[in-house]
Amino acid sequence: MNPKVILGIRIVFGLAILFFGCNKLFYFMDPPAPSTKIAGSFLRVLVSSKTMMLVAIVEICAGIALLANRFAPLMMVILMSISVNAFLYHIKLDIKHWYVGVVFLALNVLMLYIYKDRYKELLKPQ
């Protein structure tokens, strides 16, 4: 893949993750209202238990790491759990905003694919 395309994908994903992480922490933009009552209840539990604060901190760290091109392969592995959970939340509970989960999961998988050579040693049979 072209290095400039990879750089562009990394910067766009880093900016998006950093933006949404900061928004979860500082609330400068209202997120779209959940389309179902159960989705709203689920989000309230995540916020009241401070789980969303932890997610925000991880997203901010990952966004900064991607923009600085430091530890990007590690951040992709860490972000995969957040991307999968966001995807499942939007597909199962908030289908009206399904594209958010799909886009972030697709970008995360694409970045994992880009860094696949960095994982070979980790995935080597013992």
Side-chain angles (χ1 to χ4, degrees), residues 81-103:
S81 62
I82 294 174
S83 296
V84 167
N85 279 295
F87 172 77
L88 292 174
Y89 166 79
H90 285 290
I91 292 299
K92 297 300 272 179
L93 300 177
D94 192 15
I95 194 70
K96 183 178 177 185
H97 303 109
W98 64 270
Y99 51 88
V100 175
V102 170
V103 167

Side-chain angles (χ1 to χ4, degrees), residues 2-41:
N2 185 339
K4 289 184 180 182
V5 172
I6 293 171
L7 175 68
I9 293 168
R10 184 174 50 80
I11 289 173
V12 166
F13 191 44
L15 286 171
I17 289 292
L18 182 62
F19 174 80
F20 286 110
C22 287
N23 191 45
K24 284 180 184 80
L25 210 54
F26 304 116
Y27 301 106
F28 50 82
M29 183 183 90
D30 288 332
S35 60
T36 63
K37 286 177 67 174
I38 194 163
S41 298

Side-chain angles (χ1 to χ4, degrees), residues 70-87:
R70 306 290 294 172
F71 309 110
L74 174 63
M75 289 298 129
M76 289 303 94
V77 172
I78 292 169
L79 275 178
M80 196 61 184
S81 62
I82 294 174
S83 296
V84 167
N85 279 295
F87 172 77

Side-chain angles (χ1 to χ4, degrees), residues 28-125:
F28 50 82
M29 183 183 90
D30 288 332
S35 60
T36 63
K37 286 177 67 174
I38 194 163
S41 298
F42 183 70
L43 282 179
R44 280 192 296 282
V45 169
L46 290 177
V47 171
S48 66
S49 67
K50 305 292 187 211
T51 302
M52 287 305 268
M53 185 180 295
L54 177 62
V55 170
I57 291 168
V58 170
E59 286 178 343
I60 290 168
C61 291
I64 291 169
L66 284 172
L67 293 174
N69 199 19
R70 306 290 294 172
F71 309 110
L74 174 63
M75 289 298 129
M76 289 303 94
V77 172
I78 292 169
L79 275 178
M80 196 61 184
S81 62
I82 294 174
S83 296
V84 167
N85 279 295
F87 172 77
L88 292 174
Y89 166 79
H90 285 290
I91 292 299
K92 297 300 272 179
L93 300 177
D94 192 15
I95 194 70
K96 183 178 177 185
H97 303 109
W98 64 270
Y99 51 88
V100 175
V102 170
V103 167
F104 278 101
L105 182 61
L107 282 171
N108 203 164
V109 168
L110 179 61
M111 291 296 293
L112 283 169
Y113 178 76
I114 288 169
Y115 291 119
K116 71 181 180 299
D117 293 335
R118 304 278 183 99
Y119 306 120
K120 285 183 180 176
E121 187 67 26
L122 181 68
L123 299 173
K124 185 172 70 172

